[in-house]
Amino acid sequence: MVRPYAVMALMLFCNAASGQDNPERILQGAIVLHQAGEAERAIPQYRAYLKLRPDAVDARSNLGVALASTGRYRQAIAEYREALKRRPRDPRIRLNLALAHYKLGQISDAAAELSALHHEQPADRQVVLLLADCWLRRGEDRKVIDLLAQVEKQDQSDLAIAYLLGTALLRDKQIDHAQQMIDRILRNGDSAEARLLLGTAKLEALDFEAAIADLAKAAELNPRLPDVHSYLGRAHIQTGDTAAARLAFQKELELNPNDFESNLQLSALLKQDQEYDGARKLLDRALRVRPGELRAEFQLASVNLTAGKLDEARAGLEAIVRKAPQFVEAHISLATAYYRLGRKADGDREKALSQKLTMEQRARQYQEKIE
Amino acid sequence: MKRALVASAAGICAVWFLALAPARPAQPARRPGFVDVAPRSKISYTSNNSFVGRKFFPQPMCGGIAVFDFDNDGRMDIFFTNGARLPDLKKTDPSYFNCLLRQKSDGTFEDVTARAGLTGDHLDFNFGVAVGDYDNDGYGDLFLCSIGKNALYHNNGNGTFTDVTAASGIGGKPANTLSIAAAWFDYDNDGLLDLVVSNYTLWSPKTDARCMMNDRDYYCDPRRYPSVPHQLHRNLGKGKFVDVTAKSGFAAAPGKGMGVSIADFNDDGWMDVFIANDTEPNSLFMNQKNGTFEEKGLGLGVAYNENGQVGSSMGSDAKDFNNDGKVDIFYNNLMGQIWQLLRNRGDLFEYYSSLSRMQKLSMPYSGWSNGFIDYNNDGWKDIYSSNGDVDMMSAKSPQHDTLFENVDGKSFVDVSGEMGGDFLRKGYQRGSAFCDLNNDGALDIVVTSLNERPRILMNAASAGNHWLMLSLVGHKSARDAIGAKVKLTTASGRVLYNHVAVSVGFMSSSDKRVHFGLGAETKINSVEIRWPSGIRQTLKSLAVDQLLMVDEPEK
C-alpha cells in the first residue's frame, strides 16, 4: 500500500497550532498515531478533523489508508473516491483506490483504475505490473501479452515482467515464446518464479507428475509466490490427489483470498465431498472477483443441484443458458434439475437440446480436425 | 467336492447343504493373493484380435469370458470368446476359435470346445458372452455378441451345444451393428429369462475410419461413430424370442454400449438395466412394470459425471457396496478420467468417487472389465478392475489389474501390490469373470488380455474369514433367479446384502452363485431371499463356510 502521509505530516507539523480543538492539532495527533502503527486510534482522529475540514484531500486519503490497513476496504474506497472528486488526477490516491479494490477481490474495478493510471503514466512500472496481474486474474491473457510485449523488449532484465508475460503466453498456448521467458528467468538461477513457469508449462503439456515436482519446488523456494499453490492444486487434481489439491488451494487462499481459480477449484472439491456451504462461500468470493464468470456461476448452480436446492439451481442454470445458449453442460444440468423437480417435459426439451448441441460441437471439432 | 446332505434348519422349502466345511477359527485378517493356475492346464486359447499393424476400430475389444458349470458336475468351467481375421471377419483358423474349458476333478482344465460344438467357426468377431438358462432346463445356455450375427447356443445337457439363433429369432439386428455385451434377466417377471443386448455403433470393415499420426495408426476416437439403440428380446417360451426394443422404450435411448448391469435399483421388485455408454451419456432403464422402460439416467444422476460431462464408460457392475440395502453402481473409465462410484441414495445416485478415494486411486488406469467382489471375505465388496489402455501408444499403456479394498463401506485402498506377481502382470487386460472355481468360499478371477493367454487367478483364501455361498434355483421365477435379492444377518446383527448377478464387468459372465464374506462371524441368524417372482423366503440359523443350494418355495 502506498503511504503518502509522511510528507504531509511534516508540513502539518510546521503549521500546527496549539489547543485541543484546533483542527491542525487533531490532524497532527492522527498522523502521529498512524505513523506509530495505531491506525485504529488514528481513524477517529482523521474523522474528527475531516468534520472540520471536509475538503482536506490529503487527510481523507490518509483516512482511506488507515481504514485499508485495518481491512475496512469498502470504507477506504468511499474515502478515496471522495478524495478523488476533489483531486481527480492524483495518481497516489487512484493507486490506493485500485489496491483497495484489488484487496476486496474487485479485480475489474481495480483494473479499471489501473488502466486509467496507465493511460496517464504509461512508464510507471508498478502500475504496469499491477495491471498485468489484474488482467491475468481476469483471464485476459491477450491483454497482458499486448501490455507487456513492448515493455519486455525494452527491458529484458525485469524478471517480474518476464514472469507475468510468460504466464500469459503459456495460458495463451504460445509455448515457444513462453519458453523464452522461462529461459530468461532460469538464467538468473533457480528461482521460484522459474519453477512456477516450468511447472505451469508442464501442466499445459499434461505432464502432471513433472508439473507437481516443479511447482512443489517453487512453493518451497518461495511459499508466498502468488499462484504457486493454486497451480500446484490444479496439478494434483489432474492426478486425482484431491486431498493434496485441497491443501494447496487452501494455502493459496490464505495468502490471497481472492484468487479466482483457487476459489473455483476448491469449491469443486468441496462439492465432491458434499461440503456444500463451504463451496458456496468460495464461489461467492470467486464471483466477486469475476462477476458473471460462467464457470463460477455454473459451479454454484451445480452445487445447489447436488445439494438438492433444486429451485435455486434451476434459476441459476436458466440464467446461464440464457446468457450462454451453447453451454452444453449447463443444459444437461438444467435438464437434471427439471427432472428432479418433476418437470419432465422441460427436462426432455433440455436433454434434447443438449444432445443436439453435443452433436453440433462434435461435428465442428471433427471438421476442424480435418481442416 | 464332498456332497453332504444335511437337514435344513429352518427352510420352508427344500434346502440342500452341498458342502459343510469345518468352521475355521477366527484369525487376524490377512490379505490373500492370487496365483495364476492356467499354466497347470493345457490351454491353447489366446485371444486373437487380428492385429498385424493395421488398426481396426473393434480390435481393442476381444476376449469375453463366461464362468459357469456347463455340465452341472459341481465344478465351474470357463468359456472364452475370440476375434476373427480382419478385414474379412472370418475365423479362418483355430487361433480365432472360441474356447470352452471343462474343469476336471483335480482342478485342471481340458479344452472341450470342439466336442461341445462351440468353436464358432461359422461366426465372426465375437465380443461378449452372456450365460443364462433361457429354457429353464437346468443347463446354462450361451448368447454371443458379435460384429455380425449374434448367436444363441442351447446347452443340450450332454456336453454339447447347438446354435439355435435362427430358430429362436434372437439374433437379428440392424446391419453392421456392433453388439458388445448382453445380459439375461426376467424383465416381466414371467419366469422366463429375457435378454438385453448392449450395442455400440454401426461399423463394418468398409466403413472403418483410419486414424494416423506421423504415419502410425491409432485407434480412432469413438465419437467418430454414431450411437445405436440397445436391444431387448422378450422370451416367449419354447425357445422363441421377439424383439421388443421399440415397444419397450429401449429404442428411444441410443448409446454406445459397453458394460451392462442388471439390478433392482429402486427396490420395487422389478429388474432395471444400467448400460455404460462409451463417450455418450450412460443409460438407466427403469422398469415401469408394464413391459416398458423409461430411461432415467440423467434425472437419477448416472448419465454424466458430476460436471455434466461424458466419459469413456467401460465395464460396469451394480452391487450394494456399503450394505445399506440399496444397489450402487460402478463403472470404470480410461486413464486420466475418474472411475465412477455412484452411491444409491434411494431417490437418486450421488457421486462418491471423491469421498471413497476412488478418484485418486483410479486416475492412472484404463479399466475395462470390473466387479464388486469380496476377495478377502470381510463382508465388504471390494472393486477389481482389469486394466490396459485402448492403444499401445506409450509406456503407460500396458497396465496391471487393480484391486481396491473396501474399508467399512466408506472408502477404498489400493492393495494391488500385495496380490502377487501373477496379478500384477502388465498387458492389455480386457474381460474378467468372478467365480469360486474350487468351491473354497474365496472368489477367483479369470482374466483375458489382448493376444495373450488368459490368467486363471486362484484366490489364496488365506484371509481366515468365514463365508457363505448360495446357489438359488428358481421355480416360479426363472431357474437362474437373476436379480433375486438376499439379505443376510449374522449372529452379531451385522447385515449384508447381495443379489444374483451374472453379467458383470465387460463382455463377461460371472458365477451366478451369491457370495457373502462374513469376516470373523461364525453364525448366521437369517438369510432372507426376495425372489424375482415376489416370493419371500427366510432361512434361519445357518452355519458358515458352506455352499448352500436353495430352491424357491411355492409361496
Side-chain angles (χ1 to χ4, degrees):
Chain A
M1 184 66 68
V2 176
R3 295 175 182 271
Y5 52 81
V7 177
M8 196 178 87
L10 200 64
M11 183 182 78
L12 288 166
F13 267 118
C14 301
N15 298 333
S18 60
Q20 196 62 24
D21 293 334
N22 183 310
E24 306 316 323
R25 194 164 179 82
I26 295 171
L27 179 60
Q28 184 188 341
I31 289 169
V32 167
L33 286 168
H34 198 168
Q35 285 179 319
E38 303 249 16
E40 282 292 358
R41 290 175 60 201
I43 289 167
Q45 298 276 64
Y46 282 130
R47 290 202 195 284
Y49 175 75
L50 285 165
K51 261 193 180 170
L52 300 169
R53 297 272 192 277
D55 293 332
V57 174
D58 290 319
R60 196 169 292 282
S61 173
N62 274 7
L63 174 58
V65 172
L67 288 165
S69 71
T70 58
R72 281 171 270 183
Y73 297 111
R74 289 183 202 286
Q75 292 178 37
I77 287 169
E79 299 303 335
Y80 292 140
R81 290 211 177 281
E82 197 58 37
L84 281 170
K85 276 184 194 164
R86 292 172 171 81
R87 203 188 291 161
R89 297 179 72 89
D90 188 321
R92 295 168 310 159
I93 300 173
R94 195 168 294 283
L95 182 58
N96 277 348
L97 173 63
L99 287 167
H101 280 303
Y102 185 94
K103 284 283 184 186
L104 264 182
Q106 297 169 341
I107 304 298
S108 303
D109 295 323
E113 299 303 334
L114 289 163
S115 289
L117 274 173
H118 178 60
H119 186 71
E120 294 285 323
Q121 299 173 306
D124 187 323
R125 186 61 58 89
Q126 186 187 14
V127 171
V128 167
L129 289 171
L130 281 168
L131 182 56
D133 185 65
C134 284
W135 282 341
L136 268 184
R137 286 181 191 284
R138 287 179 45 80
E140 295 177 295
D141 305 319
R142 286 285 172 89
K143 285 170 88 169
V144 177
I145 294 166
D146 292 344
L147 176 70
L148 298 184
Q150 277 305 112
V151 185
E152 181 263 332
K153 274 182 192 160
Q154 291 156 8
D155 180 4
Q156 301 201 342
S157 64
D158 190 328
L159 295 184
I161 296 287
Y163 170 70
L164 288 167
L165 180 57
T167 305
L169 289 165
L170 274 174
R171 288 188 191 169
D172 199 47
K173 317 277 186 214
Q174 297 186 41
I175 306 298
D176 290 344
H177 194 177
Q179 189 62 49
Q180 291 173 21
M181 299 302 114
I182 295 170
D183 291 343
R184 186 173 303 161
I185 297 168
L186 281 175
R187 277 199 294 274
N188 283 273
D190 200 4
S191 68
E193 288 80 3
R195 290 284 185 166
L196 176 56
L197 276 181
L198 275 173
T200 313
K202 287 172 185 171
L203 193 57
E204 290 287 336
L206 311 182
D207 188 355
F208 306 122
E209 296 297 342
I212 287 170
D214 277 320
L215 294 166
K217 184 71 185 170
E220 187 189 317
L221 289 168
N222 181 4
R224 302 189 67 81
L225 181 65
D227 283 348
V228 69
H229 299 290
S230 177
Y231 276 108
L232 189 55
R234 280 176 255 183
H236 279 306
I237 282 180
Q238 295 299 326
T239 65
D241 194 346
T242 50
R246 274 181 76 145
L247 273 178
F249 290 128
Q250 280 160 354
K251 274 187 189 168
E252 184 70 44
L253 291 173
E254 278 167 22
L255 297 167
N256 178 14
N258 297 313
D259 182 70
F260 176 81
E261 282 297 333
S262 295
N263 279 299
L264 182 67
Q265 303 278 353
L266 184 55
S267 76
L269 296 178
L270 294 188
K271 183 191 91 174
Q272 286 177 358
D273 291 346
Q274 301 177 2
E275 296 174 36
Y276 304 122
D277 290 340
R280 278 194 206 95
K281 277 180 195 160
L282 294 171
L283 288 165
D284 286 345
R285 199 152 60 189
L287 283 165
R288 280 204 303 273
V289 177
R290 293 190 193 175
E293 217 275 354
L294 269 183
R295 285 184 302 154
E297 287 186 340
F298 175 63
Q299 186 66 252
L300 184 59
S302 182
V303 168
N304 286 330
L305 181 61
T306 313
K309 297 194 171 219
L310 298 178
D311 272 319
E312 285 171 68
R314 175 198 50 75
L317 290 162
E318 283 174 345
I320 291 169
V321 299
R322 269 197 304 274
K323 198 156 71 173
Q326 306 292 315
F327 194 161
V328 177
E329 289 85 355
H331 285 288
I332 289 166
S333 296
L334 183 54
T336 307
Y338 282 142
Y339 283 132
R340 290 184 185 170
L341 284 163
R343 293 171 54 175
K344 186 175 181 309
D346 291 326
D348 288 346
R349 188 195 64 237
E350 283 300 319
K351 183 178 170 184
L353 191 53
S354 72
Q355 287 167 341
K356 179 174 166 277
L357 288 169
T358 301
M359 296 308 291
E360 288 171 0
Q361 216 172 57
R362 286 185 184 179
R364 271 199 305 276
Q365 284 165 353
Y366 181 52
Q367 192 57 37
E368 280 166 15
K369 223 171 183 179
I370 290 171
E371 285 165 2
Chain B
M1 182 178 60
K2 188 179 169 189
R3 284 172 182 263
L5 191 65
V6 180
S8 163
I12 305 163
C13 60
V15 178
W16 291 280
F17 291 71
L18 293 182
L20 189 60
R24 286 173 297 197
Q27 297 167 13
R30 293 188 304 272
R31 290 199 171 109
F34 290 86
V35 174
D36 182 12
V37 299
R40 293 180 199 164
S41 304
K42 198 176 164 190
I43 300 171
S44 59
Y45 172 82
T46 295
S47 75
N48 186 351
N49 69 354
S50 188
F51 175 66
V52 284
R54 164 77 161 94
K55 287 179 178 170
F56 291 94
F57 185 68
Q59 279 172 324
M61 300 180 281
C62 185
I65 305 171
V67 177
F68 70 126
D69 181 5
F70 83 94
D71 53 0
N72 286 346
D73 65 354
R75 292 185 290 272
M76 287 287 141
D77 311 298
I78 306 171
F79 177 78
F80 297 107
T81 68
N82 213 339
R85 195 176 71 182
L86 290 163
D88 54 357
L89 290 175
K90 290 192 186 331
K91 291 188 189 291
T92 49
D93 65 72
S95 73
Y96 293 112
F97 286 177
N98 301 322
C99 175
L100 179 64
L101 299 177
R102 178 178 172 274
Q103 189 181 170
K104 297 194 288 187
S105 58
D106 64 358
T108 61
F109 293 85
E110 62 174 334
D111 189 328
V112 296
T113 315
R115 197 164 76 210
L118 286 175
T119 60
D121 55 357
H122 62 300
L123 302 175
D124 54 43
F125 200 115
N126 297 123
F127 298 114
V129 52
V131 177
D133 180 7
Y134 72 84
D135 57 350
N136 292 326
D137 66 353
Y139 289 92
D141 309 298
L142 296 174
F143 181 83
L144 270 61
C145 302
S146 312
I147 286 179
K149 191 186 79 167
N150 296 328
L152 178 63
Y153 282 102
H154 177 251
N155 186 337
N156 302 318
N158 59 2
T160 68
F161 289 77
T162 303
D163 185 338
V164 295
T165 315
S168 69
I170 206 172
K173 61 180 177 181
N176 300 327
T177 300
L178 296 194
S179 301
I180 300 297
W184 293 100
F185 74 122
D186 182 5
Y187 78 88
D188 48 4
N189 286 341
D190 65 352
L192 296 167
L193 288 183
D194 311 295
L195 184 80
V196 57
V197 182
S198 167
N199 287 330
Y200 192 93
T201 190
L202 300 176
W203 179 90
S204 76
K206 283 184 184 168
T207 61
D208 186 60
R210 193 165 188 187
C211 293
M212 300 191 79
M213 191 191 297
N214 302 326
D215 293 330
R216 204 173 154 205
D217 267 353
Y218 67 92
Y219 292 116
C220 295
D221 190 314
R223 286 171 286 194
R224 294 281 295 270
Y225 293 94
S227 303
V228 289
H230 308 300
Q231 282 176 289
L232 184 64
H233 299 279
R234 179 163 181 253
N235 189 338
L236 301 173
K238 298 182 180 168
K240 299 288 182 192
F241 291 83
V242 63
D243 188 331
V244 292
T245 304
K247 194 175 145 189
S248 64
F250 267 71
K256 287 199 184 97
M258 298 285 277
V260 50
S261 301
I262 305 298
D264 179 6
F265 292 107
N266 56 355
D267 212 23
D268 64 355
W270 296 75
M271 293 304 117
D272 311 301
V273 182
F274 172 79
I275 297 182
N277 290 313
D278 187 0
T279 68
E280 299 287 341
N282 303 308
S283 312
L284 184 49
F285 294 98
M286 298 302 291
N287 197 323
Q288 302 301 295
K289 311 178 201 174
N290 58 4
T292 69
F293 289 79
E294 191 177 344
E295 200 289 299
K296 290 188 163 182
L298 187 50
L300 293 177
V302 305
Y304 297 85
N305 69 15
E306 82 284 6
N307 296 318
Q309 295 158 337
V310 292
S312 304
S313 311
M314 308 293 273
S316 65
D317 195 12
K319 297 275 167 54
D320 180 359
F321 82 92
N322 55 354
N323 288 320
D324 66 352
K326 296 185 277 287
V327 181
D328 311 293
I329 291 176
F330 173 78
Y331 63 90
N332 45 20
N333 268 314
L334 296 183
M335 60 179 158
Q337 301 173 353
I338 297 161
W339 296 357
Q340 302 283 307
L341 180 60
L342 303 168
R343 189 166 65 174
N344 188 343
R345 239 174 54 176
D347 54 344
L348 53 87
F349 290 82
E350 63 187 11
Y351 177 73
Y352 199 64
S353 291
S354 178
L355 283 171
S356 65
R357 299 192 58 74
M358 181 61 60
Q359 190 160 326
K360 176 174 168 55
L361 299 179
S362 67
M363 204 65 106
Y365 301 104
S366 291
W368 292 76
S369 195
N370 60 61
F372 286 108
I373 60 163
D374 182 2
Y375 86 103
N376 57 354
N377 283 342
D378 68 350
W380 297 108
K381 295 174 200 78
D382 314 295
I383 294 181
Y384 163 87
S385 176
S386 57
N387 305 322
D389 208 8
V390 179
D391 218 327
M392 300 154 277
M393 304 300 274
S394 79
K396 289 180 180 173
S397 298
Q399 298 175 349
H400 63 71
D401 298 339
T402 45
L403 191 61
F404 298 152
E405 190 174 287
N406 185 334
V407 183
D408 298 334
K410 294 186 178 113
S411 62
F412 290 83
V413 291
D414 187 352
V415 296
S416 315
E418 297 174 53
M419 294 299 108
D422 292 339
F423 184 92
L424 293 169
R425 188 181 86 180
K426 284 191 177 179
Y428 299 88
Q429 339 290 353
R430 292 302 185 254
S432 69
F434 313 103
C435 48
D436 184 1
L437 286 170
N438 56 354
N439 295 321
D440 65 350
L443 290 177
D444 312 302
I445 309 171
V446 183
V447 192
T448 57
S449 305
L450 290 183
N451 305 314
E452 288 194 76
R453 285 172 183 273
R455 282 171 299 155
I456 302 173
L457 297 169
M458 293 296 290
N459 189 322
S462 57
N465 288 326
H466 299 290
W467 55 275
L468 178 73
M469 187 95 86
L470 299 172
S471 182
L472 303 188
V473 181
H475 294 291
K476 188 177 180 194
S477 305
R479 190 176 172 89
D480 281 350
I482 290 169
K485 182 176 178 178
V486 185
K487 176 184 177 185
L488 182 152
T489 307
T490 67
S492 73
R494 187 177 180 197
V495 177
L496 308 173
Y497 290 90
N498 210 341
H499 60 269
V500 179
V502 176
S503 283
V504 176
F506 175 65
M507 300 198 304
S508 300
S509 281
S510 287
D511 193 337
K512 69 178 180 182
R513 295 174 297 182
V514 183
H515 171 261
F516 286 98
L518 301 171
E521 305 267 357
T522 55
K523 281 183 186 159
I524 298 164
N525 263 4
S526 65
V527 167
E528 298 165 55
I529 303 168
R530 190 182 70 195
W531 296 82
S533 61
I535 292 171
R536 290 171 187 267
Q537 179 180 18
T538 303
L539 312 174
K540 294 202 167 167
S541 300
L542 301 177
V544 299
D545 298 334
Q546 62 167 327
L547 173 56
L548 192 63
M549 185 182 279
V550 183
D551 274 290
E552 182 182 19
E554 285 183 15
K555 288 181 184 170

